[in-house]
Amino acid sequence: MKIIGLSEQEVSKSREKFGSNRLSEAESESFLDKLKGNFSDPMIKILSAALLINVIIYILSLMGLVSAEVEWYEPVGIAAAIAIATLVSTFSEYRNENAFRALQEEASKVLCRVYRGGEIREIPSDDIVTGDFIMLGAGDRIPADGIIFEGDIRTDQSVLNGESKEARKTPRPENAPENEDKTDLLCPYRVFRGTVVCSGTAVMVAEVVGDRTLYGEIAGELRQEDDRESPLKVKLGALAEGISKFGYMGGVAIAAALLIHKIVSAGSFGAYFAAGAAGIITDLLDALILAVIIIVMAVPEGLPLMIAIVSAMNMRKMLADNVLVRKIAGIETAGSLNILFSDKTGTITKGQLEAVVFADGNGNEYKSIGGIPERLGKLVSLCILENSTAVMSGGKAVGGNATERAVLSFLGETSSDSRFKKLFVLPFNSDNKYSASSVEGAGFRGTLIKGAPEKLISRCTHFIDGEGRKIPLDDSIVNGKIDILAGRAIRVIALAISEGMLSEDSVALPDGEFTLLGILGIRDEVRPESAEAIKEVRNAGVQVVMITGDRIDTASAIAKEAGLLTGDGNELTLTSSELAEMTDDEVKKRLRDIRVIARALPSDKSRLVRIAQELDLVAGMTGDGVNDSPALKKADVGFAMGGGTEVAKEASDIVILDDNFSSIDKAVLYGRTIFNSIRKFIIFQLTINVSAVAVSFISPLLGMDNPLTITQILWVNLVMDTLAALAFGSEPALSRYMREKPKSRKEPILNSYMKTEIITGAAWVFVLSLVMLLTGIDTSSGTLKETGLIGSFFRSYEGNGTEYLLTGYFSFFILAAVFNAFNARTEKINLFDNIGANKGFLKVMGMITAVQVIMTYLGGRVLGCYGLNFKEWAVVIFMALSVIPVDIIRKLIINKKFKTGG
């Protein structure tokens, strides 16, 4: 029957009635939507509240309702911190999302051959309509759901059901029921979008297109699921809450201290209240302004910017390492992984079958065709070349199925011998499990046979040895070799010859005895780099569970080679059916011991992710098929393979462009680098903030004005933090991070070690501040103590003013922060540890110092600075530099305590 296909008019009507074959894309956020979403960051919320209060106070000061002097650049500075932080993170995520969209668009440009108006045309798969007759051949990806009209093919449906077994599809019988299930993957005549033709040719009729296909429906369901909060967001939320409490409590306490100071200065409560309501209201507003300043000071406004910068920098580095980060949160989450559920094929293994060994009838092994003795090698080559549906083209095997290509590739560049004439062929089918070809030429006449050992070896009475001699076969030797190879995850194909010949109507092998040439071992090789990467990830404390559709013996062999099974008696390998028999509580008890799930179903993946999350573990999942997508979406971080389906990539946080487990190892390392960089920056910033709050609290109680003006505080918090974010954001990815234990989802971002460093640094800066202020300023008169310990080193300003001393104090505060940055960037005694990998750190700290020195001379009234002389600078630098030996002493004590288990 000649196929005509649809006319252009029929195509238009079908598209109008049943819709397009183009899948609806997940609604991508615009730049503004992403920007708006980033304002939900806990730190940004606190800063936004502080900005609002500052604007209100500034407006009140302009109206003359408050006496405090509030400059316009104070709220502008806070607004700048918010804007820069949100813009940087938004731009980075938006740019990577666009890169991802471009990859997806490129991947979707698939051409299909269809019958249209009596002609065969090549059209984009998006242009397929219901009713189209589509030609299918080996290697084609099926573009719609439909039925086989004519032909016989085998399809790989693993993208939908995870089952690696090829499914045979033949024409729909005339007596097929009308109200059948159109989503039944086991139906022998139904084919589905996204599945791949492994062998054979056929013509299908498209019945369901676009979003209504099984592939499209799964994709649509995924778009409706909500994402789980990332571990970093949970930790930052807790940190923001803690800092808010500290800031609010500090602000209230300092405001109260200021009012108490006013009352004490007045002599008594009565005298203070007798001064009138106007003065009291003014003092209350001044106290409120000071409280707001303290709250702003307590909040590390540079933190959101730092996170944005460090994430953006590492996203670029990761892309160079074949890791495309779609969501910024995915990077840090990768570093927090506790358990990773990984596919085998294409991730741990190469994802392609290879013939890796040949064994003769004596059990002798040969790694390549060139290693086989010449006479036997010629017969092996002939048996493969003249009995294959694959062909060599451009140096590689094409056509046929994966097994045929692997067998043919064993011969390398060898081409067919024109001396041999192929007479009759018996094609391979899954029922017979063999193929055969009768040939003659060059003194040989017989049938070349290739197939499953259990079908052929029992009929072999002899084998060909290396000298080309025909020797009686001891099949126990061959079967023993097969068992040995099976233990190495190698399945075998038997090669044999028969003196009998096929005929034109042959449906079975010739009668009589066969002669064995040998067995060819085929396997999906473990990537050489996978074992090392898995070792790295496991040493990092991340449990790796391999999930595969393979038999349990094959899966176990691969797992041993990849280093997932090490011989530990507690290691557990399960089949899907065994897992199904266990309750959730039983799985939770044994989850830490599970290493392999064999014969896995898609539902197993989602269940394991859910159970891990119920145990508060940070769970990762790798996958490439539509069937993997629910688990990818549900996982804390989903790794989609670059060669996988568009739906899997849409559901993921990170796309591994080279489908390689070693890239996941890199993602974990980058994630941990980011988290450690964030912690270093928090130490740096909170040390400054805590000491500034403490000084601001004590100053009114000692009868002094705050030694740091509002403008100076903003200078510390904004200018330094912005530059410091760049410095800490460039910290290198150190291999020692992979030896750290994974961070619990509930573990606070501030750990005990960080607290000791922050408290020690802040306390030392606070103590030095008191020494400098109390021995340099006469609190009763507010003048310079020219005979004081510190006052004697500074000049008086216009008589006995403290301007030079306060300039020195401001410079001391900045330089102390600079020197403390070296303490914060490493836990080691050597402060220059790996500094060569972050030369930007030295440049940034040098820039901060240089700008501070310049502003000391040029800052004038805005920053309240006056140029210092050499002696004054010497005192400032000496005091600031002292933060380094103090922290080294702390490190010696803390490190010794950790080593001794104290």
Side-chain angles (χ1 to χ4, degrees):
M1 175 182 174
K2 184 179 179 181
I3 301 173
I4 303 298
L6 302 178
S7 66
E8 290 302 319
Q9 187 178 6
E10 288 171 325
V11 168
S12 298
K13 286 182 178 179
S14 177
R15 186 174 288 118
E16 186 178 335
K17 183 176 181 180
F18 300 108
S20 163
N21 194 40
R22 187 177 183 86
L23 291 177
S24 299
E25 294 183 2
E27 189 174 344
S28 59
E29 287 184 302
S30 67
F31 185 87
L32 289 177
D33 289 335
K34 287 185 182 291
L35 184 63
K36 184 179 172 183
N38 281 327
F39 274 91
S40 65
D41 181 277
M43 292 295 174
I44 294 295
K45 286 180 178 178
I46 297 175
L47 279 175
S48 299
L51 172 62
L52 179 62
I53 296 171
N54 263 270
V55 169
I56 292 171
I57 293 174
Y58 175 65
I59 293 171
L60 292 175
S61 69
L62 289 179
M63 297 170 63
L65 298 177
V66 296
S67 61
E69 189 175 315
V70 180
E71 300 292 347
W72 61 269
Y73 42 77
E74 292 161 12
V76 168
I78 300 173
I82 295 171
I84 294 171
T86 50
L87 283 170
V88 168
S89 58
T90 302
F91 177 74
S92 300
E93 200 167 306
Y94 185 72
R95 182 182 57 187
N96 268 32
E97 187 67 17
N98 282 346
F100 170 74
R101 292 291 171 199
L103 284 175
Q104 293 291 75
E105 191 67 29
E106 191 65 31
S108 66
K109 293 177 181 176
V110 178
L111 294 177
C112 302
R113 292 162 296 164
V114 301
Y115 289 88
R116 291 274 176 91
E119 298 178 348
I120 298 175
R121 299 182 190 175
E122 270 198 330
I123 64 172
S125 61
D126 285 352
D127 292 345
I128 296 291
V129 297
T130 298
D132 262 328
F133 286 80
I134 306 164
M135 295 180 67
L136 301 175
D140 287 346
R141 190 174 293 275
I142 296 172
D145 290 359
I147 59 170
I148 297 297
F149 179 73
E150 66 178 29
D152 186 343
I153 59 174
R154 282 168 177 77
T155 63
D156 178 356
Q157 301 184 137
S158 59
V159 295
L160 293 174
N161 63 3
E163 176 57 60
S164 57
K165 182 181 179 182
E166 294 177 6
R168 185 182 181 188
K169 304 290 180 176
T170 54
R172 183 177 189 266
E174 293 182 4
N175 61 350
E178 293 185 8
N179 298 324
E180 59 186 278
D181 181 4
K182 293 186 177 182
T183 63
D184 181 10
L185 292 168
L186 300 178
C187 180
Y189 50 84
R190 288 203 167 276
V191 288
F192 300 89
R193 180 174 186 146
T195 60
V196 177
V197 179
C198 299
S199 61
T201 59
V203 175
M204 69 168 283
V205 180
E207 286 191 334
V208 183
V209 297
D211 291 337
R212 293 185 298 113
T213 60
L214 183 58
Y215 186 104
E217 286 179 353
I218 295 173
E221 289 171 6
L222 288 171
R223 289 193 283 269
Q224 297 171 14
E225 292 186 17
D226 294 328
D227 292 329
R228 191 186 189 203
E229 271 196 339
S230 73
L232 180 60
K233 196 164 186 178
V234 172
K235 290 177 173 68
L236 287 178
L239 177 64
E241 185 179 349
I243 289 174
S244 297
K245 288 178 181 177
F246 172 76
Y248 296 144
M249 290 169 63
V252 171
I254 289 170
L258 180 62
L259 289 175
I260 291 170
H261 173 65
K262 296 282 187 181
I263 292 169
V264 172
S265 299
S268 66
F269 276 102
Y272 178 69
F273 286 106
I280 294 172
I281 292 172
T282 299
D283 289 343
L284 285 171
L285 288 173
D286 288 344
L288 176 62
I289 292 171
L290 181 59
V292 171
I293 293 168
I294 298 306
I295 292 169
V296 172
M297 192 188 303
V299 177
E301 53 264 66
L303 184 57
L305 175 61
M306 188 271 167
I307 293 172
I309 289 174
V310 72
S311 298
M313 286 179 171
N314 281 278
M315 282 169 83
R316 289 198 296 273
K317 293 176 187 175
M318 291 173 77
L319 189 56
D321 281 333
N322 296 307
V323 181
L324 173 64
V325 180
R326 295 189 56 234
K327 300 173 185 176
I328 282 183
I331 315 177
E332 188 280 327
T333 307
S336 299
L337 281 180
N338 301 118
I339 188 167
L340 175 66
F341 300 103
S342 175
D343 269 353
K344 173 190 73 84
T345 305
T347 307
I348 294 174
T349 63
K350 293 179 179 178
Q352 57 188 43
L353 293 177
E354 293 181 78
V356 294
V357 65
F358 175 82
D360 63 18
N362 270 329
N364 300 314
E365 288 190 20
Y366 305 96
K367 300 296 183 184
S368 65
I369 188 68
I372 302 174
E374 183 178 4
R375 292 183 179 180
L376 175 59
K378 286 182 177 179
L379 285 173
V380 170
S381 295
L382 179 66
C383 189
I384 293 173
L385 281 170
E386 302 299 333
N387 184 20
S388 177
T389 56
V391 295
M392 294 300 295
S393 176
K396 68 176 184 177
V398 296
N401 59 27
T403 300
E404 291 275 16
R405 293 192 294 273
V407 171
L408 186 60
S409 295
F410 187 71
L411 303 183
E413 295 290 339
T414 305
S415 59
S416 183
D417 192 334
S418 59
R419 295 178 302 164
F420 292 92
K421 180 181 179 183
K422 193 179 293 186
L423 302 176
F424 302 106
V425 173
L426 181 62
F428 175 88
N429 68 61
S430 56
D431 295 326
N432 292 336
K433 295 186 178 179
Y434 54 71
S435 64
S437 178
S438 292
V439 300
E440 64 177 5
F444 177 87
R445 177 181 170 86
T447 299
L448 310 169
I449 309 166
K450 171 168 56 62
E454 64 270 22
K455 293 285 186 177
L456 304 185
I457 292 176
S458 61
R459 293 187 60 181
C460 293
T461 57
H462 293 76
F463 74 95
I464 303 294
D465 72 357
E467 301 297 321
R469 296 173 299 189
K470 195 172 179 180
I471 308 292
L473 175 70
D474 181 354
D475 59 6
S476 65
I477 295 176
V478 180
N479 288 326
K481 176 59 69 173
I482 291 173
D483 290 340
I484 291 171
L485 294 177
R488 289 155 51 186
I490 297 175
R491 66 184 181 90
V492 298
I493 301 290
L495 305 178
I497 55 176
S498 169
E499 294 179 356
M501 300 292 286
L502 297 170
S503 62
E504 188 174 357
D505 55 355
S506 291
V507 293
L509 295 174
D511 294 331
E513 299 170 344
F514 297 164
T515 300
L516 183 72
L517 298 179
I519 53 175
L520 189 62
I522 299 172
R523 68 172 292 176
D524 184 2
E525 288 280 89
V526 172
R527 291 177 183 266
E529 62 275 25
S530 288
E532 184 60 34
I534 287 172
K535 182 180 178 182
E536 277 284 310
V537 171
R538 292 188 65 181
N539 286 342
V542 181
Q543 178 185 353
V544 181
V545 179
M546 186 178 81
I547 300 180
T548 175
D550 285 340
R551 291 168 38 182
I552 196 162
D553 52 351
T554 303
S556 296
I558 291 288
K560 286 176 185 175
E561 188 173 342
L564 285 171
L565 291 174
T566 60
D568 180 356
N570 292 326
E571 293 173 333
L572 191 61
T573 59
L574 297 172
T575 62
S576 176
S577 57
E578 290 172 335
L579 181 68
E581 291 173 1
M582 299 171 69
T583 65
D584 283 359
D585 287 338
E586 289 172 334
V587 175
K588 287 176 182 177
K589 289 177 183 176
R590 298 301 309 274
L591 183 63
R592 279 301 189 185
D593 299 327
I594 295 176
R595 298 293 179 271
V596 177
I597 303 292
R599 292 299 191 196
L601 300 174
S603 55
D604 295 332
K605 298 179 180 181
S606 293
R607 183 189 179 201
L608 287 168
V609 168
R610 174 179 56 78
I611 288 173
Q613 290 176 339
E614 287 175 1
L615 290 171
D616 265 328
L617 299 176
V618 178
M621 170 63 70
T622 74
D624 56 7
V626 176
N627 60 297
D628 297 324
S629 302
L632 288 170
K633 182 79 172 179
K634 187 186 289 290
D636 291 289
V637 56
F639 298 93
M641 299 298 111
T645 63
E646 291 84 351
V647 177
K649 294 174 192 173
E650 285 282 2
S652 69
D653 304 289
I654 294 174
V655 180
I656 304 298
L657 299 177
D658 59 356
D659 296 3
N660 198 329
F661 193 93
S662 65
S663 295
I664 298 174
D665 175 31
K666 292 172 187 172
V668 173
L669 174 58
Y670 279 121
R672 293 192 171 190
T673 300
I674 289 172
F675 188 71
N676 278 288
S677 296
I678 291 170
R679 279 188 155 175
K680 291 173 184 179
F681 183 77
I682 288 173
I683 291 171
F684 166 77
Q685 199 171 51
L686 287 188
T687 301
I688 300 172
N689 293 6
V690 171
S691 57
V693 170
V695 170
S696 299
F697 174 75
I698 202 69
S699 295
L701 298 179
L702 297 176
M704 295 185 294
D705 291 330
N706 194 333
L708 294 174
T709 66
I710 295 174
T711 311
Q712 288 173 346
I713 290 170
L714 286 171
W715 176 265
V716 172
N717 280 6
L718 300 182
V719 178
M720 279 196 60
D721 293 349
T722 303
L723 294 173
L726 291 169
F728 285 98
S730 300
E731 280 293 286
L734 304 178
S735 59
R736 67 172 181 255
Y737 294 154
M738 293 298 282
R739 295 191 291 273
E740 297 175 356
K741 291 182 179 179
K743 307 299 183 289
S744 163
R745 183 177 175 82
K746 290 184 177 180
E747 179 182 333
I749 201 166
L750 270 177
N751 61 16
S752 299
Y753 180 90
M754 294 170 68
K755 289 176 182 176
T756 64
E757 186 163 358
I758 292 166
I759 292 170
T760 302
W764 184 246
V765 171
F766 176 67
V767 168
L768 290 181
S769 297
L770 289 182
V771 170
M772 192 169 190
L773 295 171
L774 293 178
T775 65
I777 299 174
D778 185 341
T779 56
S780 62
S781 61
T783 58
L784 181 72
K785 277 187 179 180
E786 296 184 1
T787 58
L789 176 64
I790 298 298
S792 61
F793 288 97
F794 285 85
R795 293 166 290 161
S796 61
Y797 183 81
E798 294 182 356
N800 57 0
T802 58
E803 281 79 355
Y804 288 116
L805 177 68
L806 291 175
T807 298
Y809 176 73
F810 176 42
S811 298
F812 152 75
F813 202 85
I814 295 292
L815 293 182
V818 168
F819 292 131
N820 194 56
F822 286 85
N823 293 329
R825 70 168 294 274
T826 180
E827 74 283 3
K828 295 186 174 294
I829 302 299
N830 176 16
L831 301 186
F832 293 96
D833 176 54
N834 286 293
I835 196 72
N838 186 7
K839 293 178 181 177
F841 182 88
L842 293 174
K843 292 177 182 177
V844 169
M845 292 305 151
M847 187 187 303
I848 291 173
T849 303
V851 170
Q852 179 60 30
V853 172
I854 292 169
M855 292 305 293
T856 300
Y857 294 96
L858 302 180
R861 194 178 72 84
V862 175
L863 277 178
C865 291
Y866 300 83
L868 303 179
N869 61 28
F870 178 80
K871 182 173 68 172
E872 292 163 340
W873 273 119
V875 173
V876 167
I877 293 172
F878 176 78
M879 292 181 67
L881 194 59
S882 67
V883 300
I884 289 179
V886 167
D887 195 66
I888 287 176
I889 294 170
R890 181 199 64 83
K891 285 176 179 175
L892 288 170
I893 295 171
I894 293 296
N895 291 348
K896 182 178 179 182
K897 182 180 178 183
F898 284 146
K899 284 180 182 177
T900 58

